[in-house]
């Protein structure tokens, strides 16, 4: 899951070297991923009206469901 989010984010931003994905909390059935990008790239990751971020969260939810888990994506700058 972590690699998937990192792959998508690196292809969206102007500074792929500034993309960092961390697993903040891993519980039995829940994973919290934190996506950090450079301040000038935050808008590209969030998208208009948050649609890009929501699409990433939807895909992450589908991947986590395959493993029987629940995933949460937090976007930070």
């Amino acid at each position: 899951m972590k690699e998937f989010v990192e792959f998508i984010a690196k292809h969206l931003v102007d500074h792929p070297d500034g993309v960092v994905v961390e697993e903040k909390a891993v519980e039995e059935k829940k994973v919290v991923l934190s996506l950090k990008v450079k301040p000038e790239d935050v808008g590209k990751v969030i998208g208009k009206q948050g649609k890009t971020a929501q699409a990433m969260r939807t895909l992450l939810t589908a991947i986590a469901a395959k493993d029987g888990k629940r995933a949460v994506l937090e976007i930070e700058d």
Side-chain angles (χ1 to χ4, degrees), residues 16-49:
D17 56 319
V19 173
V20 178
V21 180
E22 298 175 350
E23 289 184 358
K24 288 177 79 175
V26 179
E27 298 173 13
E28 188 175 326
K29 298 264 183 182
K30 182 178 177 182
V31 178
V32 178
L33 297 174
S34 172
L35 172 62
K36 295 180 184 178
V37 295
K38 292 194 174 193
E40 56 268 18
D41 289 330
V42 172
K44 292 180 180 173
V45 173
I46 294 175
K48 288 187 179 182
Q49 297 178 352

Side-chain angles (χ1 to χ4, degrees), residues 2-77:
K2 178 180 172 182
E3 294 82 13
F4 176 73
V5 172
E6 189 174 348
F7 176 80
I8 292 176
K10 283 187 176 184
H11 285 84
L12 290 173
V13 299
D14 289 333
H15 306 285
D17 56 319
V19 173
V20 178
V21 180
E22 298 175 350
E23 289 184 358
K24 288 177 79 175
V26 179
E27 298 173 13
E28 188 175 326
K29 298 264 183 182
K30 182 178 177 182
V31 178
V32 178
L33 297 174
S34 172
L35 172 62
K36 295 180 184 178
V37 295
K38 292 194 174 193
E40 56 268 18
D41 289 330
V42 172
K44 292 180 180 173
V45 173
I46 294 175
K48 288 187 179 182
Q49 297 178 352
K51 294 200 182 229
T52 304
Q54 186 59 43
M56 288 175 65
R57 287 183 176 115
T58 301
L59 291 170
L60 185 60
T61 300
I63 291 171
K66 280 182 149 180
D67 295 335
K69 296 184 179 179
R70 186 170 165 263
V72 178
L73 178 63
E74 298 175 348
I75 299 174
E76 302 174 9
D77 59 350

